[in-house]
Amino acid sequence: MSKSKATSFDIAHYAGVSQSTVSRALRNSPLVNEETKKKVFEIAKKLNYKVDKNASNLRTQQSNTIALLLFEDPTSDESHINPFFLSMLGSITRACANQGYDLLVSFQQMDQDWQAQYEDSHRADGLILLGYGDYIDYQARLATLLQNNTKFVCWGANVDSRPELSISCDNYYGGEQVAEFLVAKKRTQCAFIGDASEHSPEFFARFNGFKDTLQKHGLNVDARQIINAISTDESGYNATKTLLSLKRPINAIFAASDLIAIGAIRAIKEAGLNVPEDISVIGFDDIPIASFTEPALTTVNQSTSVAGEMLVANLLAQLKDEPPVQTQLKPTLVIRHSA
Amino acid sequence: MSKSKATSFDIAHYAGVSQSTVSRALRNSPLVNEETKKKVFEIAKKLNYKVDKNASNLRTQQSNTIALLLFEDPTSDESHINPFFLSMLGSITRACANQGYDLLVSFQQMDQDWQAQYEDSHRADGLILLGYGDYIDYQARLATLLQNNTKFVCWGANVDSRPELSISCDNYYGGEQVAEFLVAKKRTQCAFIGDASEHSPEFFARFNGFKDTLQKHGLNVDARQIINAISTDESGYNATKTLLSLKRPINAIFAASDLIAIGAIRAIKEAGLNVPEDISVIGFDDIPIASFTEPALTTVNQSTSVAGEMLVANLLAQLKDEPPVQTQLKPTLVIRHSA
DNA sequence: ATTTAATCTGACACCGGTGTCATAATTAGC
DNA sequence: GCTAATTATGACACCGGTGTCAGATTAAAT
């Protein structure tokens, strides 16, 4: 990158020692005489020497780098990444930095051959998989990774054969919390917007925690009050309009994500109703926007900074052959004004 | 990364040709016989071969990788990155992917020796510098980069000796737009919240465009109506409380960033006043949150996706010795409900 | 048939560090 | 004073591709 880059050979030359010694000295090997070390460091500094990581990575066969593959939801808008993942991206970046690892980031389309894409293989010691896991082939692809002995960890999506490779928030518990709260607030007509099928493991767990808890309290979720939606405010808006058009009036909505909740609030207001007086709305994720909506969103917080740290920690544990760390994050209900 | 990784040597062995031929074949060199190529590709696929980029980067002395250094504002909260930069991060990632470049992301503390940090040198062909440029030594450090012939491009901050290496939004123009709009709405008591000094080149330009335009229309910004703030909603909130405590009532606020504007709206509401009836509020950036505030924020949009593309394009032009591309992004006023 | 050109391929050095092994120099042990 | 143990260093091969150059094979030209 620099016009004339200094190599360890140059240093060796000026210091009057061998390359081996330079290499050892720079990495602070105890095998090198202190005097020599000092001299080497001086010259290195003077020459503005920087190790060539390509060379050292090649030799040592490890890169101190983690690759982050961010899968996009093919159905959502190209130009906008879900703020939750953006925030994850930020925290993973920071967590890597804290651990002295570099981070390679790339977007991946679920439907393309990211197996091949991750040919960054030799540049990264491990992979973090982030994004939507409800895709055909996903498990098969993960299996291939396992077969290749590729170290990886994913967020949200299950890894059928190796649960310890998947970090997630306790979505079921989150759903329970929401239900308990609504029950305590005497809401009896609760709707759900999201994907209540196994297709979307995270949403499904949220729904189940929600439904089971309501049932425990003798409440039921009418099938017509379960509306399918993807994680965008547009989708939430449409779903809510459908809900509002139903005969039986509802008084609470559990939106499987904050973006959905935001769309829901918009639809409710448009219909001339009030949040939370007429209809309570609770989201999930606690994205940065959540505290700025009107009314501020009551939602389930899954800490992205903790999640990021957990992902990185889990991966590093694998790389160092240490025992796996905790894989579930306890979410917490953040009570604001929308419920 | 894989347990047993296939090398070009292996392919050569099985295909009964030399490594050179394999190398050429895989890169689709016209020098290789089509038959041979086919055979090589087949075997490569069968062996699940992936080039070792460390090796090829080392040999070719280029990495097809861009490093993104994201500088944090040391005064702001550790755990939250400004959503504008987060959004930039997303768009740069995408732009790199589109151009076939990998992206290395890292956070940097302005006050630490990131010169040394970027020892990722040999791993990246060029650098994108993103973040706060109002720091001592910044220009000196940039000068060092130039001296080392390091290719880089920055966002927002000036590069004193080489303006073409800096991409920015036309902040002055943005300020003008805001002022014109407020004047058209007959707002005569306009305040500014931000940093109206050269310390913060972007804010400064916004302020100047704003001020100059108001003056052109015979309006002045009273020095007391210029409040210093950093780009957080907390800071905007405090600044606004100060503004509201002034004798002379104001009826418009130009906040140098959306986060500031959000804090301002909160303070105004808390004081029992209405936005925009009593006080118009206009922000800058058009972060994703902006459309969800109550009232939705009127703000100046600087398209992060265009900006990301421009940054990458500029850097690639440098790498390929092509003439520099356009460096200024025209912002547009997005009129919502807060003004 | 012989020269010339075009096409294809292999041998080999090289990119810049790092690890191994042998060896020289110094110190300790008896 | 001589062997054994330490300590410090250098020579050299190696990681896995890539580029150069020379050589072989075949086709075209004279």
Side-chain angles (χ1 to χ4, degrees):
Chain A
M1 198 157 171
S2 328
K3 186 156 279 168
S4 61
K5 85 177 131 194
T7 69
S8 65
F9 179 86
D10 299 328
I11 299 179
H13 175 75
Y14 286 113
V17 295
S18 73
Q19 272 188 73
S20 314
T21 302
V22 171
S23 173
R24 284 184 286 244
L26 290 175
R27 282 169 307 140
N28 241 306
S29 156
L31 294 176
V32 181
N33 183 288
E34 288 301 324
E35 295 269 309
T36 318
K37 250 184 217 179
K38 233 179 78 183
K39 192 163 55 176
V40 168
F41 272 111
E42 257 169 36
I43 297 179
K45 176 145 201 188
K46 199 173 297 165
L47 297 181
N48 191 29
Y49 172 82
K50 304 278 155 54
V51 282
D52 184 323
K53 291 210 179 171
N54 288 133
S56 67
N57 289 349
L58 172 59
R59 180 62 227 239
T60 60
Q61 297 290 34
Q62 55 144 298
S63 59
N64 261 52
T65 299
I66 289 173
L68 172 63
L69 308 199
L70 190 50
F71 296 102
E72 315 183 43
D73 184 347
T75 55
S76 81
D77 181 358
E78 255 260 334
S79 68
H80 278 102
I81 304 163
N82 185 326
F84 177 76
F85 288 120
L86 220 38
S87 168
M88 262 319 228
L89 175 52
S91 80
I92 291 171
T93 304
R94 181 169 274 117
C96 282
N98 288 343
Q99 302 288 334
Y101 271 70
D102 286 334
L103 184 68
L104 265 172
V105 177
S106 67
F107 281 106
Q108 303 290 335
Q109 313 273 11
M110 277 307 274
D111 44 354
Q112 77 192 11
D113 186 16
W114 55 272
Q115 296 290 326
Q117 279 292 103
Y118 96 99
E119 59 183 326
D120 280 324
S121 357
H122 306 289
R123 304 189 64 192
D125 299 332
L127 267 39
I128 295 179
L129 271 33
L130 191 58
Y132 305 84
D134 55 333
Y135 222 84
I136 18 163
D137 280 355
Y138 195 63
Q139 291 300 328
R141 290 169 186 231
L142 294 184
T144 310
L145 291 183
L146 286 171
Q147 228 166 54
N148 293 348
N149 199 33
T150 299
K151 308 297 185 192
F152 70 95
V153 57
C154 25
W155 170 260
N158 293 324
V159 184
D160 287 349
S161 56
R162 302 280 301 280
E164 78 277 15
L165 300 184
S166 163
I167 308 273
S168 63
C169 149
D170 189 338
N171 290 293
Y172 186 91
Y173 174 82
E176 288 179 321
Q177 297 301 101
V178 170
E180 290 289 359
F181 182 80
L182 290 176
V183 168
K185 292 283 178 189
K186 310 284 183 220
R187 301 283 163 160
T188 50
Q189 293 299 321
C190 303
F192 175 84
I193 305 180
D195 190 336
S197 75
E198 306 88 338
H199 252 252
S200 176
E202 299 193 85
F203 283 11
F204 190 50
R206 290 171 200 177
F207 171 70
N208 282 328
F210 179 65
K211 186 196 61 180
D212 294 351
T213 307
L214 288 181
Q215 285 177 342
K216 217 173 61 189
H217 286 91
L219 297 172
N220 258 310
V221 185
D222 189 305
R224 280 159 302 182
Q225 292 174 0
I226 302 170
I227 311 280
N228 217 61
I230 61 167
S231 196
T232 66
D233 70 304
E234 197 57 28
S235 180
Y237 174 82
N238 293 330
T240 306
K241 284 183 82 161
T242 307
L243 271 178
L244 295 175
S245 70
L246 294 178
K247 287 255 167 57
R248 191 202 303 212
I250 54 169
N251 54 20
I253 293 177
F254 173 29
S257 85
D258 284 352
L259 288 178
I260 294 176
I262 287 168
I265 291 177
R266 185 155 56 90
I268 294 170
K269 283 180 174 175
E270 243 181 64
L273 298 171
N274 290 319
V275 179
E277 293 79 3
D278 300 313
I279 302 180
S280 289
V281 176
I282 300 186
F284 207 110
D285 285 349
D286 197 16
I287 57 179
I289 306 176
S291 52
F292 298 117
T293 56
E294 182 72 24
L297 196 61
T298 291
T299 185
V300 180
N301 172 282
Q302 36 180 347
S303 163
T304 55
S305 57
V306 173
E309 277 162 25
M310 286 173 72
L311 284 166
V312 173
N314 183 292
L315 192 52
L316 293 194
Q318 291 184 56
L319 294 177
K320 295 175 187 161
D321 273 317
E322 286 167 4
V325 289
Q326 169 207 6
T327 60
Q328 265 211 339
L329 180 69
K330 267 292 187 253
T332 56
L333 185 69
V334 179
I335 299 164
R336 297 207 180 88
H337 308 301
S338 70
Chain B
M1 197 153 172
S2 329
K3 184 155 280 169
S4 62
K5 83 177 134 197
T7 70
S8 65
F9 178 86
D10 299 328
I11 300 179
H13 175 74
Y14 286 112
V17 297
S18 73
Q19 272 188 71
S20 315
T21 302
V22 171
S23 173
R24 283 184 288 245
L26 291 176
R27 282 169 306 139
N28 240 307
S29 157
L31 294 177
V32 181
N33 183 290
E34 287 302 326
E35 295 270 309
T36 319
K37 250 186 222 180
K38 231 178 79 183
K39 191 163 53 173
V40 168
F41 272 113
E42 254 168 38
I43 296 179
K45 177 144 200 189
K46 198 173 300 167
L47 297 181
N48 191 28
Y49 172 83
K50 304 281 155 53
V51 282
D52 184 323
K53 290 209 179 169
N54 288 132
S56 67
N57 290 347
L58 172 60
R59 179 62 227 242
T60 60
Q61 296 293 23
Q62 51 143 311
S63 60
N64 260 52
T65 299
I66 290 174
L68 172 63
L69 308 198
L70 190 50
F71 295 103
E72 316 182 44
D73 185 345
T75 56
S76 80
D77 181 359
E78 257 259 333
S79 68
H80 279 102
I81 305 162
N82 186 325
F84 178 75
F85 287 120
L86 222 37
S87 165
M88 257 331 219
L89 175 52
S91 80
I92 290 172
T93 304
R94 181 168 274 116
C96 282
N98 288 342
Q99 302 288 332
Y101 271 70
D102 287 334
L103 183 67
L104 264 173
V105 176
S106 66
F107 280 107
Q108 303 291 333
Q109 311 275 9
M110 278 307 272
D111 45 353
Q112 77 192 12
D113 186 15
W114 55 271
Q115 298 289 325
Q117 280 292 103
Y118 96 97
E119 58 181 327
D120 279 324
S121 354
H122 306 288
R123 304 189 63 191
D125 299 333
L127 267 37
I128 295 179
L129 270 33
L130 190 58
Y132 305 83
D134 55 332
Y135 223 81
I136 21 163
D137 282 353
Y138 196 64
Q139 291 300 326
R141 290 168 187 232
L142 294 183
T144 310
L145 290 183
L146 286 170
Q147 230 167 51
N148 292 348
N149 199 34
T150 298
K151 309 297 187 194
F152 70 96
V153 58
C154 19
W155 170 261
N158 294 324
V159 184
D160 287 350
S161 55
R162 303 280 301 280
E164 78 277 16
L165 300 184
S166 163
I167 307 275
S168 63
C169 149
D170 190 339
N171 290 292
Y172 186 91
Y173 174 81
E176 288 180 323
Q177 297 300 100
V178 171
E180 291 289 0
F181 181 79
L182 290 176
V183 167
K185 293 282 175 185
K186 309 286 184 219
R187 301 284 163 158
T188 51
Q189 293 299 321
C190 302
F192 175 84
I193 304 179
D195 189 336
S197 75
E198 306 88 336
H199 253 251
S200 177
E202 299 194 85
F203 283 10
F204 191 50
R206 291 171 199 177
F207 171 70
N208 282 328
F210 179 66
K211 186 196 62 182
D212 293 352
T213 306
L214 288 181
Q215 285 178 343
K216 217 173 62 192
H217 287 91
L219 297 172
N220 258 309
V221 185
D222 188 304
R224 280 160 304 183
Q225 294 174 358
I226 302 170
I227 311 280
N228 218 60
I230 61 168
S231 196
T232 66
D233 72 303
E234 197 56 30
S235 180
Y237 174 82
N238 293 331
T240 306
K241 285 185 80 161
T242 308
L243 270 177
L244 295 176
S245 70
L246 294 177
K247 287 255 169 52
R248 190 201 300 211
I250 55 170
N251 54 20
I253 293 177
F254 173 29
S257 85
D258 284 351
L259 287 179
I260 294 176
I262 286 168
I265 291 177
R266 186 155 55 92
I268 294 170
K269 282 180 173 176
E270 241 180 64
L273 298 170
N274 290 319
V275 179
E277 292 78 5
D278 301 313
I279 302 180
S280 290
V281 176
I282 299 186
F284 207 108
D285 284 349
D286 197 16
I287 56 180
I289 307 178
S291 52
F292 297 116
T293 57
E294 182 73 25
L297 197 61
T298 292
T299 185
V300 180
N301 173 282
Q302 35 181 347
S303 162
T304 54
S305 59
V306 174
E309 276 162 24
M310 286 174 71
L311 284 166
V312 173
N314 183 292
L315 193 52
L316 293 193
Q318 290 184 55
L319 294 177
K320 296 176 185 161
D321 274 317
E322 284 166 6
V325 289
Q326 170 205 5
T327 60
Q328 265 212 340
L329 178 71
K330 267 295 189 248
T332 55
L333 185 69
V334 178
I335 299 165
R336 297 206 181 87
H337 309 300
S338 70

